[in-house]
Every structure is written in structure tokens, then in C-alpha cells.
Amino acid sequence: MKQLRIFVVKEFYHVFRDNKTLLMLFGLPIAQIILFGFALSNEIKNSKIVICDYANDHISHHLIDKISASTYFDVDRILKSNLEIDDAFKEGDVKMAIVFPSNFAHDYWHTKEATVQIIADASDPNTATTLNAYINAIVNDYQNSQLPVGTQTIKIIPETRMLYNPELKGATNFVPGVMALVLLLVCVLMTSVSIVKEKEKGTMEILLVSPMNPFTVIIAKAIPYFVLSLINLTVILLMSVFLLDMPLNGSLLLLYLESSILILCALSLGLLISNVTDSQQAAMLISLMGMLVPTMMLTGFMFPLENMPAPLQWVANIVPSKWYYIIVKSIMIKGLGIQAIWKETLILIGMTLFLLFISLKKFKIRLA
Amino acid sequence: MRTLRFLLAKEFKQIFRNKTLLPMIFVMPLIQLLILPLAADFEVKNIYLTVVDNDRSSFSQDLVSKITASGYFVLTDYNNSYPKAFGQIESNQADLILEIPTNFESNLVRERNQKLYISANAINGVKAGLGTSYLNSIIRDYNSRLMDKVGTVQMLSPPSQIKTTASFWYNPYLNYKVFMVPAILVFLVTMVGAYMCGLNIVKEKEVGTIEQINVSPIKKHQYILGKLIPFWIIGIVVFSLGFFIISWLVYGISPIGNLFLLYSYLAIFLVALLGFGLLISTYSETQQQAMSIAFFFMMIFLLMSGLFTPLDSMPTWAKYIAQANPVTYFIEVMRMVVLKGSGLINLKFHFLIMIGFAALFNSWAIFNYSKTS
């Protein structure tokens, strides 16, 4: 027991005496919460558009006023000819062009039908379709306001309630994702590197020939990162509650328990990586290059998992952060208890045991 | 010149003799580029809808069948208890609840307007917003059909209409992969370049071989060039493999713009990126430190590059960060040249700023690397 304590202290020194490692350990989660909370959103607004007004009459002016008043659009300039549209798009910033043909008002009053041409830069299809829908809504509004007074209409009026997140903030979706990402990646990375480092420097051999049980060495490596991750989790939670006004509806104890399972899972994965590699470079490349982008995309907080093709959804099932993400959302935001998430919890525990079993089996206590 | 040749030979031998690193550098980015674009799909389809129908009239059933026929919604349940429907939201079986109140039909006929209640699981705000707006537009359509059905006061003349026609340039089928593949390729090349280069010099420091270099007649710039050139070549090879094999052959994205222009930009970008890697390595003593710093910046570069979220919707302070991020520019150039065929005239600002980055990072790195410790 005393041996273990001494070793844990040694590992803590390793971490705390290296301020560049601390930058990643604690700076990264803080930076991510701030960026996701305040800078990043999937919302599309302030999109630059150009307008080509051949009509130049009161209806087109009225519509242009409405469009420039909307927060979704930012009218960059008025073009003289639609031949300039291609150039405007090629410069990159302009997302859409609106063309009012000549005789617009004339058509509107006499043939009862006028056409607005929308040309979208669809290299970003998401922006193109969303902006198109916004323009249509503005045009529709205008049309309805022109109906003769007293026209009797029949109407179903939908009343919408946004559950859990009435302001449709992006953070509600992102914060649980950041928690999953940070806990998983940082733990995997730090454990794998710190064990491989001892191998690379040759100090592992000294530890293995010492009277200490080899497994004590491993446990001593894991404990500091476990503790640091819990501190990290606390920092993230404090920031998201006090800075981002995120709800914390469920049981805090349960949240910490579930997080501990994810951390253990990450530590086992780190251990496994350290067993199959023998240089720090390889360990880092596997845990960063190999895991960063897939974890980011397959956890489900960037892109909805249910949209993905079936094989990719199967792959997502082996990403531990996917399950943790569901758990955190259920506890923090929906305020549910263990009965709602026991399945996800069991899957995480199963993954942890599996990874731990393989890595302990592969762990060599003999020198090469 | 001869010194540089020897240094290059040494670097290439070191890289190609490392059997764990090679697949990491060449195979893993390609596999990720093959798979990940399939995951990047913002289009919201298959929205799970549960209907609480307290009316059970011909109108309400008609409306529900109209909604399910639209193709956006999957009806998971059709019952008349709100708590049960809410339970489905809690357990993620449903995304939206549509609640039809009692006397829906009779109120609609008598009083000519009637409310409907929609509740959405808004944890994912984008999905909730899109789902309810689809639902609203179906209800709007249904409204106008009802006018014909129930009969309304005849208007003297039909109202004028403004129609919109939309044409989607550069990507008429609105294929999201066309947008994502080039950008993901940029990011993978960035990761390979920055990590490999950043770790490489530090490794020499940690292992101690850098001392031997320091006491040799090798000049500072020769040593730095000797480190830069191999990774520069590797970066170009990885990019080309991803660009021609995965992007062009597999995803069918044939570049519209000038390839020479694209490669010139890649060449400058790589110099800037590798300079950044060198800079990291001059500031770190151990590989672990270098990796920590690189990971920190990589994450910021990734999030602030416009790869996943639009730059336009960022607040002003965040836009400044995005503008100080070299990856932002390369992603923009890639999308502009490959998808839209932009030319040098459109890109001169991008070129200038990347040359600036390259000069800044490299001179800072050379300045900061000292042969004496």
C-alpha cells in the first residue's frame, strides 16, 4: 500500500511539473467549452448575398428592404448584371444571389404571377437550402400581407414548444459531447504515452525487476489520470452551469459514477495502446490521429448518428463516447435516473472489462 | 548543398525504416477520408414523430396521413396519452410530439381556427428547428387544402402570387459529401504534417542525438531545411493520394479549377504548417510536451476552421481567431478551387496571407532554435 502511494505521488509530480502538459490537460477543456458555448453554432445567419434588381420597382424594393432587415442576410452589394454572379461566388464570401426580373411589378399586377430567381452557391448545400427556405418565408409573408382586408381564411395554428432547450442553444447539444471527447481522448493519450515513455527510456525495465508487483506500477500510472479527469469533469460542469447556463437536472452522484466508468474505459484503452506500441510517437499517433476525428464525428454531437449509413452506425456502437454522450444528456438535461440508462451503462461497463482483460493479458511482465 | 543532401538521406532512412509510423502516415488518413464523409451529413431525415390524437376525426386522421406521406417523418406511435408520448421522448424513441386537441374538427368547421400543439426534443436545436419547420409547412399546405374542402368566402379575384425559383450552382444535387471531402482531406494533411514534424526534432532532443548535430559544422538553416523537406514531400504525397484516389475516384469529385493553382497553394500551406510544427518543437523539451501543445492547437484549428460550422454565424471575436488560423484559408481555397473553379485573381488575398504565415512561423522557429543549450 505504501509502495503504491509513493508511486502515485511520483506520477503526480510528472504531470504537475510539466506546464505544457497541463496546458493540454486543463486548458483544452476550458477552451473547448468557451468555443462551443459562445463561438460555434450550426445556425446560419449573417450570410452575404448579392441582389440583381432588373425590376427596380416598389415591390422589389419592398422585398429587398425586408431581406436586408433580416438577421439571416447581409446584403453585400447590388449587382448591375447577372453575369457578375459567377464572379461574386468565386470570390468566396457570397452565398446567394437574388434576381428580380424586369417587369416584376407589372407581372405581379397583370399576369397575377411574378417570379423571383434565387441562385445559391450550393457548394455548401446546407447553407444553400436553409437560405432558400428563409427567402421563401419572407416572400410568403409579403404575399399574405397583400391579401385584401377581411378575407376569411380557415386556419390551423400550430403552437410549438421546444422541450429541454427553449432557446435552441447549441451548447445543450455540444457540452455533453465535449465532456465525452475530452475525458476519452485525454485519458487514452496520457496513459498510453506515460507508460510507453518508461518503455522507451528504459526505466520500465527497472520497474519490472524491482520487488514491486508489475500491476501496482500500472495502477499507480492510472490513478493520477483518473483523479485529474474527475477534476477536469468538475471544471467542465462548473463552467457549463455558471457560464453557459446549462441545466443540471439529474443526480450529480450518478453523473460522476457514469463518468468514472468512461474514464476507466479510456484508461484501459490507453493501457492497451501502450502494450501494442513501443515508441511514444506511435502511441501518440494512434491515440490522436487514429481517435480524434472518428470520436468527434461518431459520438453523435456533431452530426446526427441516425442519418449515417448503417455500417457506420455499427462502427459508432464501438465508440465508448457515443454511449456516454447518451447518458450525460439523459442525466444532465432530461433529469432521468438510472432506470432510463441502465442499458448504456452496462454497455460501457462491458467495454471497460473487455479492454481491461485484453490489455492485462497482453501486458508483458518479462523483459524482451 | 552536400550537407543538406546527407541530412535528407538520414531523415528519409529514419522515416522509412519505422514500420509503425509508415502506415500511420499513409494509410490512416486515407481510411479516415474514405469513411468519415459518410458520417458528415447535416440533412435531417427520418424524424421520429409520435401523434397524440384526442379527436380521432376524419380531419385529424387526414392530417396525420398527410404528414407521414411527406417522407420526412416516421410515425412511431399513434395514441391518445401525452404522458406516454413524453416517455418516448425521454427514451429517445421520438423526436417530436404532435398533439391534436379534442373537438379539433368541429372547432375548425365552426370557428375557422384551431390550435395544434407541437413539442420537440430540442437538445439538438438544429434538428428540432428543422423538424418543426417541416411540420409547419405541411400544416400550412393542409390549411390551403382545407379552404377548398370546407369552402370559404369567395374572393372577387384570385390573389397575385410571387413564385420563387431556386437554382443550386456548383452542386445541383445538394450532395453534402462534395462539400466535406476536400475539407476533411485538408485537415488530415494538417494533422500528419504538424504532428510528425513537431515530434521529430523533439525526439532528437529527448534521445540526445541533437547534441551530435549541434557540435557538427551543420548550419542552423541546413538542419531546419533537412527536417522540413521530407515532411513537405510526405505532405504532398498524402494529399495527392487522398485527392486523386479517394476524392476523385471514390467520391467522384472532379476539380473544376486549376490543379496547378491548388498545388501551389498546398506547397505554401505545407511550408507554413511545418514551420508551425518546428516552432512547437523548439518550445518543447520532451515529446509529451510537443504533443500536448500540438494537440491543443490542432483542436482549436479544427473547431475554428469552418470545417464543421459556418464562419459567418460566429461572433466577431471568434472570427478573429478563425482569421488567425492557417487551416481556415486552405479549407476555403480547397472548396473554392475544387468546387467553384476560382482563379488566382479571386485567391490573391489567400495567397498573400499564407505566404505571411509561412514566413512568420519559419523565421520564428529558426530564431528560436539555438544550437547551444
Side-chain angles (χ1 to χ4, degrees), chain A residues 68-106:
Chain A
S68 26
S70 144
T71 54
Y72 300 122
F73 300 105
D74 184 356
V75 179
D76 192 51
R77 58 183 188 270
I78 306 282
L79 300 181
K80 287 194 195 67
S81 142
N82 58 1
L83 298 175
E84 295 170 30
I85 295 174
D86 193 40
D87 276 340
F89 282 163
K90 279 185 177 164
E91 271 161 37
D93 285 345
V94 173
K95 301 287 192 288
M96 180 174 265
I98 302 173
V99 182
F100 293 98
S102 48
N103 297 329
F104 187 66
H106 183 268

mmCIF file of all heavy atoms in Angstrom, chain A residues 68-106:
data_model
loop_
_atom_site.group_PDB
_atom_site.id
_atom_site.type_symbol
_atom_site.label_atom_id
_atom_site.label_comp_id
_atom_site.label_asym_id
_atom_site.label_seq_id
_atom_site.Cartn_x
_atom_site.Cartn_y
_atom_site.Cartn_z
ATOM 1 N N SER A 68 -32.964 42.689 -46.332
ATOM 2 C CA SER A 68 -31.785 43.245 -45.640
ATOM 3 C C SER A 68 -32.069 43.472 -44.164
ATOM 4 O O SER A 68 -31.143 43.517 -43.354
ATOM 5 C CB SER A 68 -31.272 44.527 -46.304
ATOM 6 O OG SER A 68 -32.276 45.189 -46.985
ATOM 7 N N ALA A 69 -33.367 43.582 -43.798
ATOM 8 C CA ALA A 69 -33.671 43.759 -42.379
ATOM 9 C C ALA A 69 -33.514 42.456 -41.607
ATOM 10 O O ALA A 69 -33.344 42.470 -40.391
ATOM 11 C CB ALA A 69 -35.094 44.286 -42.228
ATOM 12 N N SER A 70 -33.547 41.324 -42.309
ATOM 13 C CA SER A 70 -33.471 40.036 -41.617
ATOM 14 C C SER A 70 -32.044 39.762 -41.126
ATOM 15 O O SER A 70 -31.073 40.132 -41.782
ATOM 16 C CB SER A 70 -33.920 38.948 -42.592
ATOM 17 O OG SER A 70 -33.190 37.785 -42.390
ATOM 18 N N THR A 71 -31.927 39.133 -39.964
ATOM 19 C CA THR A 71 -30.588 38.860 -39.437
ATOM 20 C C THR A 71 -29.904 37.742 -40.207
ATOM 21 O O THR A 71 -28.717 37.523 -40.058
ATOM 22 C CB THR A 71 -30.636 38.415 -37.970
ATOM 23 O OG1 THR A 71 -31.524 37.307 -37.879
ATOM 24 C CG2 THR A 71 -31.074 39.527 -37.056
ATOM 25 N N TYR A 72 -30.673 37.012 -40.999
ATOM 26 C CA TYR A 72 -30.070 35.892 -41.724
ATOM 27 C C TYR A 72 -29.215 36.389 -42.879
ATOM 28 O O TYR A 72 -28.279 35.728 -43.291
ATOM 29 C CB TYR A 72 -31.158 34.978 -42.281
ATOM 30 C CG TYR A 72 -32.038 34.382 -41.219
ATOM 31 C CD1 TYR A 72 -33.413 34.575 -41.219
ATOM 32 C CD2 TYR A 72 -31.476 33.618 -40.209
ATOM 33 C CE1 TYR A 72 -34.206 34.020 -40.246
ATOM 34 C CE2 TYR A 72 -32.267 33.066 -39.225
ATOM 35 C CZ TYR A 72 -33.630 33.267 -39.242
ATOM 36 O OH TYR A 72 -34.412 32.723 -38.281
ATOM 37 N N PHE A 73 -29.562 37.572 -43.399
ATOM 38 C CA PHE A 73 -28.889 38.033 -44.605
ATOM 39 C C PHE A 73 -28.125 39.321 -44.362
ATOM 40 O O PHE A 73 -28.482 40.121 -43.513
ATOM 41 C CB PHE A 73 -29.907 38.276 -45.720
ATOM 42 C CG PHE A 73 -30.673 37.054 -46.076
ATOM 43 C CD1 PHE A 73 -31.984 36.912 -45.675
ATOM 44 C CD2 PHE A 73 -30.072 36.033 -46.761
ATOM 45 C CE1 PHE A 73 -32.691 35.765 -45.984
ATOM 46 C CE2 PHE A 73 -30.767 34.888 -47.072
ATOM 47 C CZ PHE A 73 -32.091 34.752 -46.683
ATOM 48 N N ASP A 74 -27.106 39.459 -45.144
ATOM 49 C CA ASP A 74 -26.283 40.638 -45.084
ATOM 50 C C ASP A 74 -26.064 41.004 -46.549
ATOM 51 O O ASP A 74 -25.312 40.343 -47.252
ATOM 52 C CB ASP A 74 -24.972 40.233 -44.382
ATOM 53 C CG ASP A 74 -24.056 41.401 -44.180
ATOM 54 O OD1 ASP A 74 -24.402 42.486 -44.651
ATOM 55 O OD2 ASP A 74 -22.993 41.200 -43.574
ATOM 56 N N VAL A 75 -26.801 42.022 -47.032
ATOM 57 C CA VAL A 75 -26.722 42.336 -48.465
ATOM 58 C C VAL A 75 -25.378 42.986 -48.748
ATOM 59 O O VAL A 75 -25.072 44.051 -48.238
ATOM 60 C CB VAL A 75 -27.872 43.258 -48.898
ATOM 61 C CG1 VAL A 75 -27.744 43.596 -50.376
ATOM 62 C CG2 VAL A 75 -29.203 42.588 -48.638
ATOM 63 N N ASP A 76 -24.560 42.291 -49.521
ATOM 64 C CA ASP A 76 -23.191 42.721 -49.752
ATOM 65 C C ASP A 76 -23.170 43.874 -50.755
ATOM 66 O O ASP A 76 -22.570 44.906 -50.521
ATOM 67 C CB ASP A 76 -22.378 41.536 -50.274
ATOM 68 C CG ASP A 76 -20.904 41.822 -50.270
ATOM 69 O OD1 ASP A 76 -20.409 42.253 -49.214
ATOM 70 O OD2 ASP A 76 -20.248 41.637 -51.306
ATOM 71 N N ARG A 77 -23.811 43.678 -51.879
ATOM 72 C CA ARG A 77 -23.870 44.745 -52.871
ATOM 73 C C ARG A 77 -24.966 44.435 -53.883
ATOM 74 O O ARG A 77 -25.483 43.333 -53.949
ATOM 75 C CB ARG A 77 -22.520 44.917 -53.557
ATOM 76 C CG ARG A 77 -22.013 43.678 -54.253
ATOM 77 C CD ARG A 77 -20.625 43.955 -54.827
ATOM 78 N NE ARG A 77 -20.182 42.849 -55.656
ATOM 79 C CZ ARG A 77 -19.489 41.809 -55.200
ATOM 80 N NH1 ARG A 77 -19.192 41.710 -53.917
ATOM 81 N NH2 ARG A 77 -19.094 40.849 -56.025
ATOM 82 N N ILE A 78 -25.318 45.471 -54.638
ATOM 83 C CA ILE A 78 -26.305 45.306 -55.696
ATOM 84 C C ILE A 78 -25.550 45.166 -57.015
ATOM 85 O O ILE A 78 -24.698 45.996 -57.336
ATOM 86 C CB ILE A 78 -27.232 46.555 -55.766
ATOM 87 C CG1 ILE A 78 -27.843 46.845 -54.407
ATOM 88 C CG2 ILE A 78 -28.286 46.387 -56.842
ATOM 89 C CD1 ILE A 78 -28.987 45.989 -54.018
ATOM 90 N N LEU A 79 -25.817 44.112 -57.731
ATOM 91 C CA LEU A 79 -25.111 43.889 -58.988
ATOM 92 C C LEU A 79 -25.853 44.564 -60.133
ATOM 93 O O LEU A 79 -27.064 44.749 -60.083
ATOM 94 C CB LEU A 79 -25.016 42.398 -59.278
ATOM 95 C CG LEU A 79 -24.296 41.523 -58.262
ATOM 96 C CD1 LEU A 79 -24.286 40.095 -58.753
ATOM 97 C CD2 LEU A 79 -22.876 42.010 -58.054
ATOM 98 N N LYS A 80 -25.108 44.889 -61.182
ATOM 99 C CA LYS A 80 -25.754 45.500 -62.339
ATOM 100 C C LYS A 80 -26.274 44.435 -63.289
ATOM 101 O O LYS A 80 -27.278 44.620 -63.960
ATOM 102 C CB LYS A 80 -24.749 46.407 -63.064
ATOM 103 C CG LYS A 80 -24.466 47.693 -62.318
ATOM 104 C CD LYS A 80 -23.750 48.690 -63.213
ATOM 105 C CE LYS A 80 -23.146 49.813 -62.406
ATOM 106 N NZ LYS A 80 -22.031 49.350 -61.530
ATOM 107 N N SER A 81 -25.568 43.327 -63.348
ATOM 108 C CA SER A 81 -25.959 42.309 -64.319
ATOM 109 C C SER A 81 -25.780 40.933 -63.688
ATOM 110 O O SER A 81 -24.928 40.733 -62.828
ATOM 111 C CB SER A 81 -25.081 42.453 -65.561
ATOM 112 O OG SER A 81 -24.760 41.172 -66.072
ATOM 113 N N ASN A 82 -26.593 39.991 -64.142
ATOM 114 C CA ASN A 82 -26.466 38.657 -63.548
ATOM 115 C C ASN A 82 -25.205 37.943 -64.011
ATOM 116 O O ASN A 82 -24.885 36.865 -63.532
ATOM 117 C CB ASN A 82 -27.714 37.819 -63.838
ATOM 118 C CG ASN A 82 -27.982 37.668 -65.316
ATOM 119 O OD1 ASN A 82 -27.205 38.193 -66.143
ATOM 120 N ND2 ASN A 82 -29.034 36.979 -65.673
ATOM 121 N N LEU A 83 -24.479 38.551 -64.959
ATOM 122 C CA LEU A 83 -23.223 37.938 -65.373
ATOM 123 C C LEU A 83 -22.166 38.048 -64.278
ATOM 124 O O LEU A 83 -21.181 37.330 -64.285
ATOM 125 C CB LEU A 83 -22.705 38.609 -66.652
ATOM 126 C CG LEU A 83 -23.645 38.468 -67.854
ATOM 127 C CD1 LEU A 83 -23.130 39.260 -69.040
ATOM 128 C CD2 LEU A 83 -23.808 36.998 -68.216
ATOM 129 N N GLU A 84 -22.402 38.973 -63.337
ATOM 130 C CA GLU A 84 -21.401 39.156 -62.274
ATOM 131 C C GLU A 84 -21.557 38.136 -61.154
ATOM 132 O O GLU A 84 -20.732 38.082 -60.243
ATOM 133 C CB GLU A 84 -21.530 40.572 -61.682
ATOM 134 C CG GLU A 84 -21.211 41.685 -62.658
ATOM 135 C CD GLU A 84 -21.590 43.046 -62.103
ATOM 136 O OE1 GLU A 84 -21.545 43.219 -60.867
ATOM 137 O OE2 GLU A 84 -21.942 43.928 -62.902
ATOM 138 N N ILE A 85 -22.649 37.354 -61.209
ATOM 139 C CA ILE A 85 -22.923 36.433 -60.095
ATOM 140 C C ILE A 85 -21.812 35.405 -59.942
ATOM 141 O O ILE A 85 -21.330 35.139 -58.845
ATOM 142 C CB ILE A 85 -24.279 35.735 -60.304
ATOM 143 C CG1 ILE A 85 -25.404 36.766 -60.244
ATOM 144 C CG2 ILE A 85 -24.499 34.666 -59.252
ATOM 145 C CD1 ILE A 85 -26.758 36.218 -60.579
ATOM 146 N N ASP A 86 -21.396 34.848 -61.084
ATOM 147 C CA ASP A 86 -20.379 33.809 -61.028
ATOM 148 C C ASP A 86 -19.109 34.312 -60.341
ATOM 149 O O ASP A 86 -18.541 33.650 -59.477
ATOM 150 C CB ASP A 86 -20.072 33.318 -62.442
ATOM 151 C CG ASP A 86 -19.267 32.036 -62.438
ATOM 152 O OD1 ASP A 86 -19.569 31.179 -61.584
ATOM 153 O OD2 ASP A 86 -18.347 31.895 -63.261
ATOM 154 N N ASP A 87 -18.701 35.533 -60.712
ATOM 155 C CA ASP A 87 -17.511 36.124 -60.090
ATOM 156 C C ASP A 87 -17.708 36.318 -58.597
ATOM 157 O O ASP A 87 -16.816 36.058 -57.798
ATOM 158 C CB ASP A 87 -17.197 37.482 -60.723
ATOM 159 C CG ASP A 87 -16.389 37.313 -61.994
ATOM 160 O OD1 ASP A 87 -15.793 36.222 -62.128
ATOM 161 O OD2 ASP A 87 -16.366 38.229 -62.815
ATOM 162 N N ALA A 88 -18.907 36.797 -58.237
ATOM 163 C CA ALA A 88 -19.182 37.029 -56.821
ATOM 164 C C ALA A 88 -19.042 35.724 -56.039
ATOM 165 O O ALA A 88 -18.449 35.690 -54.963
ATOM 166 C CB ALA A 88 -20.581 37.594 -56.650
ATOM 167 N N PHE A 89 -19.541 34.641 -56.603
ATOM 168 C CA PHE A 89 -19.435 33.344 -55.922
ATOM 169 C C PHE A 89 -17.986 32.896 -55.843
ATOM 170 O O PHE A 89 -17.543 32.336 -54.847
ATOM 171 C CB PHE A 89 -20.255 32.280 -56.652
ATOM 172 C CG PHE A 89 -21.739 32.369 -56.385
ATOM 173 C CD1 PHE A 89 -22.643 31.728 -57.210
ATOM 174 C CD2 PHE A 89 -22.221 33.077 -55.297
ATOM 175 C CE1 PHE A 89 -24.003 31.805 -56.967
ATOM 176 C CE2 PHE A 89 -23.576 33.153 -55.051
ATOM 177 C CZ PHE A 89 -24.467 32.519 -55.888
ATOM 178 N N LYS A 90 -17.243 33.139 -56.922
ATOM 179 C CA LYS A 90 -15.864 32.646 -56.957
ATOM 180 C C LYS A 90 -14.977 33.354 -55.952
ATOM 181 O O LYS A 90 -13.952 32.836 -55.534
ATOM 182 C CB LYS A 90 -15.290 32.788 -58.366
ATOM 183 C CG LYS A 90 -15.757 31.644 -59.243
ATOM 184 C CD LYS A 90 -15.130 31.655 -60.585
ATOM 185 C CE LYS A 90 -15.599 30.421 -61.354
ATOM 186 N NZ LYS A 90 -15.337 30.560 -62.766
ATOM 187 N N GLU A 91 -15.366 34.552 -55.569
ATOM 188 C CA GLU A 91 -14.571 35.226 -54.548
ATOM 189 C C GLU A 91 -14.783 34.603 -53.189
ATOM 190 O O GLU A 91 -14.001 34.817 -52.264
ATOM 191 C CB GLU A 91 -14.936 36.713 -54.502
ATOM 192 C CG GLU A 91 -14.102 37.516 -55.461
ATOM 193 C CD GLU A 91 -14.741 38.842 -55.746
ATOM 194 O OE1 GLU A 91 -15.331 39.424 -54.821
ATOM 195 O OE2 GLU A 91 -14.658 39.289 -56.906
ATOM 196 N N GLY A 92 -15.867 33.869 -53.041
ATOM 197 C CA GLY A 92 -15.966 33.005 -51.872
ATOM 198 C C GLY A 92 -16.937 33.418 -50.801
ATOM 199 O O GLY A 92 -17.564 32.581 -50.195
ATOM 200 N N ASP A 93 -17.076 34.725 -50.548
ATOM 201 C CA ASP A 93 -17.885 35.115 -49.398
ATOM 202 C C ASP A 93 -19.385 35.079 -49.673
ATOM 203 O O ASP A 93 -20.177 34.836 -48.775
ATOM 204 C CB ASP A 93 -17.525 36.547 -48.960
ATOM 205 C CG ASP A 93 -16.199 36.567 -48.250
ATOM 206 O OD1 ASP A 93 -15.744 35.472 -47.876
ATOM 207 O OD2 ASP A 93 -15.623 37.649 -48.080
ATOM 208 N N VAL A 94 -19.762 35.334 -50.904
ATOM 209 C CA VAL A 94 -21.185 35.471 -51.215
ATOM 210 C C VAL A 94 -21.835 34.098 -51.335
ATOM 211 O O VAL A 94 -21.311 33.201 -51.970
ATOM 212 C CB VAL A 94 -21.350 36.265 -52.523
ATOM 213 C CG1 VAL A 94 -22.791 36.275 -52.955
ATOM 214 C CG2 VAL A 94 -20.832 37.665 -52.324
ATOM 215 N N LYS A 95 -22.979 33.946 -50.647
ATOM 216 C CA LYS A 95 -23.603 32.633 -50.590
ATOM 217 C C LYS A 95 -24.815 32.513 -51.504
ATOM 218 O O LYS A 95 -25.263 31.427 -51.813
ATOM 219 C CB LYS A 95 -24.059 32.343 -49.155
ATOM 220 C CG LYS A 95 -22.945 32.375 -48.120
ATOM 221 C CD LYS A 95 -22.065 31.158 -48.240
ATOM 222 C CE LYS A 95 -21.123 30.993 -47.069
ATOM 223 N NZ LYS A 95 -20.041 31.980 -47.079
ATOM 224 N N MET A 96 -25.388 33.663 -51.889
ATOM 225 C CA MET A 96 -26.619 33.572 -52.653
ATOM 226 C C MET A 96 -26.837 34.843 -53.463
ATOM 227 O O MET A 96 -26.390 35.917 -53.065
ATOM 228 C CB MET A 96 -27.770 33.363 -51.678
ATOM 229 C CG MET A 96 -29.121 33.246 -52.324
ATOM 230 S SD MET A 96 -30.363 32.844 -51.103
ATOM 231 C CE MET A 96 -30.433 31.092 -51.246
ATOM 232 N N ALA A 97 -27.503 34.690 -54.606
ATOM 233 C CA ALA A 97 -27.837 35.846 -55.426
ATOM 234 C C ALA A 97 -29.339 35.821 -55.671
ATOM 235 O O ALA A 97 -29.918 34.754 -55.887
ATOM 236 C CB ALA A 97 -27.084 35.797 -56.747
ATOM 237 N N ILE A 98 -29.966 36.983 -55.594
ATOM 238 C CA ILE A 98 -31.399 37.072 -55.846
ATOM 239 C C ILE A 98 -31.609 37.968 -57.053
ATOM 240 O O ILE A 98 -31.061 39.071 -57.106
ATOM 241 C CB ILE A 98 -32.125 37.651 -54.622
ATOM 242 C CG1 ILE A 98 -31.846 36.763 -53.418
ATOM 243 C CG2 ILE A 98 -33.618 37.726 -54.871
ATOM 244 C CD1 ILE A 98 -32.370 37.331 -52.139
ATOM 245 N N VAL A 99 -32.357 37.472 -58.014
ATOM 246 C CA VAL A 99 -32.568 38.231 -59.237
ATOM 247 C C VAL A 99 -34.050 38.570 -59.368
ATOM 248 O O VAL A 99 -34.903 37.682 -59.352
ATOM 249 C CB VAL A 99 -32.112 37.430 -60.477
ATOM 250 C CG1 VAL A 99 -32.302 38.265 -61.728
ATOM 251 C CG2 VAL A 99 -30.673 37.002 -60.328
ATOM 252 N N PHE A 100 -34.348 39.873 -59.458
ATOM 253 C CA PHE A 100 -35.708 40.300 -59.753
ATOM 254 C C PHE A 100 -35.759 40.633 -61.232
ATOM 255 O O PHE A 100 -35.075 41.564 -61.683
ATOM 256 C CB PHE A 100 -36.072 41.563 -58.944
ATOM 257 C CG PHE A 100 -36.163 41.310 -57.467
ATOM 258 C CD1 PHE A 100 -35.100 41.616 -56.629
ATOM 259 C CD2 PHE A 100 -37.311 40.770 -56.921
ATOM 260 C CE1 PHE A 100 -35.179 41.390 -55.272
ATOM 261 C CE2 PHE A 100 -37.404 40.546 -55.553
ATOM 262 C CZ PHE A 100 -36.335 40.855 -54.730
ATOM 263 N N PRO A 101 -36.523 39.895 -62.029
ATOM 264 C CA PRO A 101 -36.548 40.167 -63.467
ATOM 265 C C PRO A 101 -37.241 41.497 -63.750
ATOM 266 O O PRO A 101 -38.005 41.992 -62.911
ATOM 267 C CB PRO A 101 -37.348 39.002 -64.034
ATOM 268 C CG PRO A 101 -38.093 38.424 -62.900
ATOM 269 C CD PRO A 101 -37.376 38.780 -61.645
ATOM 270 N N SER A 102 -36.992 42.066 -64.913
ATOM 271 C CA SER A 102 -37.664 43.324 -65.245
ATOM 272 C C SER A 102 -39.167 43.042 -65.368
ATOM 273 O O SER A 102 -39.583 41.895 -65.529
ATOM 274 C CB SER A 102 -37.106 43.901 -66.543
ATOM 275 O OG SER A 102 -37.045 42.891 -67.522
ATOM 276 N N ASN A 103 -39.954 44.067 -65.251
ATOM 277 C CA ASN A 103 -41.415 43.934 -65.270
ATOM 278 C C ASN A 103 -41.947 43.148 -64.091
ATOM 279 O O ASN A 103 -42.989 42.508 -64.182
ATOM 280 C CB ASN A 103 -41.920 43.246 -66.545
ATOM 281 C CG ASN A 103 -41.593 44.061 -67.759
ATOM 282 O OD1 ASN A 103 -41.545 45.288 -67.674
ATOM 283 N ND2 ASN A 103 -41.336 43.396 -68.854
ATOM 284 N N PHE A 104 -41.227 43.130 -62.980
ATOM 285 C CA PHE A 104 -41.646 42.318 -61.836
ATOM 286 C C PHE A 104 -43.019 42.768 -61.334
ATOM 287 O O PHE A 104 -43.960 41.969 -61.267
ATOM 288 C CB PHE A 104 -40.590 42.449 -60.742
ATOM 289 C CG PHE A 104 -40.804 41.553 -59.572
ATOM 290 C CD1 PHE A 104 -40.707 40.176 -59.719
ATOM 291 C CD2 PHE A 104 -41.081 42.078 -58.320
ATOM 292 C CE1 PHE A 104 -40.883 39.346 -58.630
ATOM 293 C CE2 PHE A 104 -41.270 41.244 -57.235
ATOM 294 C CZ PHE A 104 -41.169 39.882 -57.388
ATOM 295 N N ALA A 105 -43.173 44.061 -61.023
ATOM 296 C CA ALA A 105 -44.440 44.558 -60.501
ATOM 297 C C ALA A 105 -45.531 44.460 -61.565
ATOM 298 O O ALA A 105 -46.675 44.127 -61.272
ATOM 299 C CB ALA A 105 -44.289 46.004 -60.037
ATOM 300 N N HIS A 106 -45.125 44.701 -62.778
ATOM 301 C CA HIS A 106 -46.095 44.616 -63.866
ATOM 302 C C HIS A 106 -46.691 43.207 -63.939
ATOM 303 O O HIS A 106 -47.901 43.005 -63.978
ATOM 304 C CB HIS A 106 -45.399 44.992 -65.166
ATOM 305 C CG HIS A 106 -46.311 45.000 -66.355
ATOM 306 N ND1 HIS A 106 -46.485 43.905 -67.150
ATOM 307 C CD2 HIS A 106 -47.130 45.965 -66.849
ATOM 308 C CE1 HIS A 106 -47.351 44.175 -68.088
ATOM 309 N NE2 HIS A 106 -47.770 45.439 -67.926
#
